[in-house]
């Protein structure tokens, strides 16, 4: 997920999020693993957590450093539906705007983790679709400066995530 220069290999290991083989150490000798708590990779909302648990067990997980630094910031991002392009910092939110509710560490050898996209028709978040993390294109990201037609509940989830990130700075240990 990032441009991390690979260090020495001492054992085979694949990150459960990006599914890429990852060296144990970085070139500077630092550990190339970090632990993510559930709140770092799934929004703290009962409906979202319920859907995420249907995909598999949740809990602390060890991921590569690149995923550990980026996943907490990607979760909670607003996106446009598949097939559309996002408008970065553009205007008002649209009715069909979705939110990334979770990025699940369920990678296999030939498949990356799963992104869960949620919509809200006004009565709470519902699962719209699932997609492999490797297939996600950043062109779907959007960042409206006003709520516009985005459902109140989804806007609240987005604002809650921004507060969480500001409070912990993406520190996945909280």
């Amino acid at each position: 997920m990032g441009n991390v220069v690979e260090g020495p290999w001492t054992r085979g290991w694949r990150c459960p999020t990006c599914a890429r083989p990852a060296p144990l150490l970085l070139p500077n000798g630092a550990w190339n693993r970090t632990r993510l708590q559930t709140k770092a990779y799934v929004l703290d909302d009962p409906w979202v957590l319920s859907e995420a648990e249907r995909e598999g067990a949740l809990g602390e997980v060890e991921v590569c450093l690149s995923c550990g630094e980026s996943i907490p910031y990607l979760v909670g991002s607003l996106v446009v539906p598949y097939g559309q392009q996002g408008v970065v910092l553009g205007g008002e939110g649209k009715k069909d705007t979705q939110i990334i509710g979770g990025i699940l560490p369920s990678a296999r050898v030939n498949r990356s983790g799963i992104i869960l996209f949620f919509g809200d028709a006004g009565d709470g978040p519902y699962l719209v679709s699932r997609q492999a993390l490797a297939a996600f294109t950043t062109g779907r990201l959007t960042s409206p400066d006003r709520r516009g037609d985005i459902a109140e509940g989804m806007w609240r989830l987005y604002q809650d995530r921004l507060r969480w990130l500001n409070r912990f700075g993406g520190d996945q240990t909280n």
Side-chain angles (χ1 to χ4, degrees), residues 47 51-52 54-55 115-119 124-130:
W47 293 102
E51 287 292 338
R54 288 183 188 169
E55 298 288 328
I115 299 179
L116 302 177
F117 298 96
F118 287 82
Y126 63 92
L127 185 62
V128 173
S129 66
R130 297 168 188 79

Side-chain angles (χ1 to χ4, degrees), residues 48-100:
V48 174
L49 285 165
S50 167
E51 287 292 338
E53 286 173 341
R54 288 183 188 169
E55 298 288 328
L58 301 179
E60 184 177 85
V61 64
E62 189 176 60
V63 299
C64 70
L65 189 60
S66 180
C67 285
E69 290 179 350
S70 58
I71 296 299
Y73 291 96
L74 192 53
V75 170
S77 296
L78 296 174
V79 294
V80 296
Y82 182 77
Q84 296 181 22
Q85 287 294 99
V87 180
V88 177
L89 300 175
E92 292 187 354
K94 307 280 190 253
K95 191 173 212 155
D96 60 357
T97 301
Q98 300 169 2
I99 192 166
I100 296 177

Side-chain angles (χ1 to χ4, degrees), residues 43-48 75-78 99-101 118-120 124-126 150-164:
L43 291 177
D44 190 18
D45 175 82
W47 293 102
V48 174
V75 170
S77 296
L78 296 174
I99 192 166
I100 296 177
F118 287 82
D120 189 338
Y126 63 92
I150 297 174
E152 178 72 33
M154 189 172 317
W155 189 254
R156 178 189 48 78
L157 285 174
Y158 173 65
Q159 295 298 317
D160 288 350
R161 186 59 174 199
L162 291 177
R163 281 190 286 280
W164 182 84

Side-chain angles (χ1 to χ4, degrees), residues 19-40:
R20 293 172 42 198
L24 181 63
L25 302 173
L26 297 172
N28 64 4
W31 189 252
N32 186 25
R33 309 278 194 282
T34 189
R35 294 191 178 278
L36 289 180
Q37 301 296 325
T38 303
K39 286 184 181 181

